[in-house]
Amino acid sequence: GAVVSQHPSRVICKSGTSVKIECRSLDFQATTMFWYRQFPKKSLMLMATSNEGSKATYEQGVEKDKFLINHASLTLSTLTVTSAHPEDSSFYICSARNEKLFFGSGTQLSVL
Amino acid sequence: KQEVTQIPAALSVPEGENLVLNCSFTDSAIYNLQWFRQDPGKGLTSLLLIQSSQREQTSGRLNASLDKSSGRSTLYIAASQPGDSATYLCAVESSASKIIFGSGTRLSIRP
């Protein structure tokens, strides 16, 4: 079945640094990928829709300069959390569609 | 604006019981509805996808139904097992190609 790989699974960083999260579709091409954020015991909140070859579409309230999304190829989208702060600590998950939605395994970001 | 609600938020049942998880949505103009399973600290695993034209989908011990007119979906789990313990999320894809998730039901199956 379709597989979406997300890396890293866990990252701890100092406040003020930037963190890049990768999302790859391993056996299919994805012109669109989605980035979600999940707080503890809460549901997933869509942050942005990543479009191959064009700018991402951000949901209301999501800072595009804070969460940089690049979708440079049909199999790779990256989310960069710039100048991370403790309030950015969260679980980030990407997904891509191949008929169904397939999700990466998520990235637990902890900002100290 | 589409809103997705899941009830109950948490459920604990003894092993072997059949159970039903509920999902309701406010806007019936949907493309599809999908049920996911999430284990603690993990990503999501797709369980069942129901297209808007379908009424139900089955996979093994799982059966999902969709009633668009009433804005409801149910996930039926037969003969529950401890390994079924997880959070179950439903997600609705609207006509605007946006996917809205419910807040999930945390299911615990007691041995």
Side-chain angles (χ1 to χ4, degrees), chain B residues 11-53:
Chain B
L11 179 65
S12 178
V13 301
E15 181 177 3
E17 280 201 4
N18 303 325
L19 58 98
V20 175
L21 306 180
N22 298 292
C23 174
S24 61
F25 47 96
T26 54
D27 186 350
S28 61
I30 65 170
Y31 278 157
N32 59 57
L33 183 145
Q34 197 163 349
W35 282 94
F36 296 89
R37 168 186 174 139
Q38 184 177 30
D39 293 287
K42 304 287 186 180
L44 279 70
T45 301
S46 176
L47 298 174
L48 290 164
L49 170 69
I50 312 177
Q51 300 291 350
S52 63
S53 59

Side-chain angles (χ1 to χ4, degrees), chain A residues 38 43 59 91 97 103 105, chain B residues 36 38 42-43 93 101-102:
Chain A
Q38 186 177 34
S43 188
E59 294 301 299
F91 191 60
R97 186 195 311 280
F103 284 80
S105 54
Chain B
F36 296 89
Q38 184 177 30
K42 304 287 186 180
E93 181 170 3
F101 282 82

